Amino acid sequence: MIELFTSQGCSACQQASRMMEDYAQQPDVIALTLPVTYWDYLGWKDEFAIPAFTERQRAYALSHGDRQLFTPQAIVNGEPSPVRSDRAFLDRSLRTVRQASGLTVSVKATDQGDRIAIDIGAGRGTGEVWLLPILRRHRTAVAHGENKGQVVDYVNVVRGMHKVGAWTGQATHFEFPRNVARSGNADGYVVVLQSGTLAHPARILGATKGSGF
């Protein structure tokens, strides 16, 4: 899974967004865009930026021992990464993940009426289960700021983070309201099992694409 921290007010982010378009086409990759808030002061407020994404990037930085935040930054399976828009580095990171058998814990999500049934397999360690509503595609014309006059094409924009529950290493079943997966005009969702906590995120253990993705 790739998380790209980006912003419509970031002049260096366009190339990374185009790169994510390519990764999103790969069936074994979950490529997500998380717009952050700290470049909004440059003259253009990112319409999808959410403070929770800024805090998530900051939590990654603290966990990885980094001193500053920057965009674009890609995090692969929750692991440390200096990536800005370095396609070669990301390709190497994905190859390493694939060679290590990728995600280690089974995650399944099934729509059942007004609920989403989520089944997490057994495995080692502990973690938290999160549901992320996804807007699969969106185009924005930027009218001000560093990217004035440009068009931003988004892929798989995360529209929120909703905690489903805790995982203790045993096979676990959850049910979650399906309407939450549609928040923020989302037309898909992802379920993620991540070790650590919200304040100290660590390795992604499992993930799956839900209905509409």
Side-chain angles (χ1 to χ4, degrees):
M1 188 174 95
I2 303 174
E3 298 173 72
L4 177 69
F5 294 93
T6 184
S7 171
Q8 291 174 3
C10 160
S11 59
C13 288
Q14 288 281 59
Q15 180 180 349
S17 294
R18 289 190 290 269
M19 181 176 63
M20 289 295 283
E21 173 77 27
D22 293 338
Y23 285 122
Q25 303 303 314
Q26 300 182 25
D28 64 337
V29 175
I30 298 176
L32 304 178
T33 300
L34 294 91
V36 297
T37 58
Y38 51 83
W39 296 127
D40 286 353
Y41 77 93
L42 293 177
W44 179 260
K45 180 177 173 59
D46 192 310
E47 64 193 298
F48 295 122
I50 296 176
F53 300 157
T54 302
E55 293 307 311
R56 181 168 177 80
Q57 188 186 20
R58 181 173 287 112
Y60 271 133
L62 292 173
S63 295
H64 301 159
D66 297 332
R67 295 186 177 182
Q68 63 180 356
L69 303 183
F70 58 85
T71 56
Q73 183 185 27
I75 301 290
V76 179
N77 280 8
E79 300 289 351
S81 171
V83 174
R84 294 176 183 266
S85 55
D86 188 337
R87 178 65 180 263
F89 186 98
L90 263 180
D91 285 342
R92 289 196 300 271
S93 297
L94 287 172
R95 282 197 299 271
T96 299
V97 168
R98 287 166 174 144
Q99 291 167 0
S101 300
L103 304 178
T104 58
V105 180
S106 170
V107 177
K108 297 180 180 179
T110 307
D111 292 351
Q112 297 184 352
D114 63 351
R115 312 289 290 177
I116 299 172
I118 299 171
D119 289 288
I120 311 297
R124 299 180 62 181
T126 61
E128 296 178 340
V129 182
W130 294 85
L131 185 142
L132 313 180
I134 305 296
L135 177 61
R136 289 179 292 172
R137 293 190 177 278
H138 186 81
R139 171 170 286 188
T140 295
V142 179
H144 304 284
E146 290 189 357
N147 290 326
K148 180 180 179 180
Q150 297 190 42
V151 173
V152 178
D153 286 309
Y154 269 132
V155 60
N156 298 341
V157 185
V158 181
R159 301 298 293 125
M161 296 183 61
H162 305 279
K163 187 174 179 179
V164 176
W167 177 78
T168 60
Q170 298 179 340
T172 310
H173 176 83
F174 300 97
E175 293 193 4
F176 205 71
R178 191 162 182 262
N179 66 320
V180 175
R182 303 190 185 101
S183 59
N185 295 320
D187 53 7
Y189 65 88
V190 168
V191 176
V192 177
L193 170 63
Q194 185 165 24
S195 56
T197 64
L198 182 63
H200 300 282
R203 189 163 62 91
I204 303 291
L205 300 176
T208 190
K209 301 175 184 179
S211 174
F213 200 128

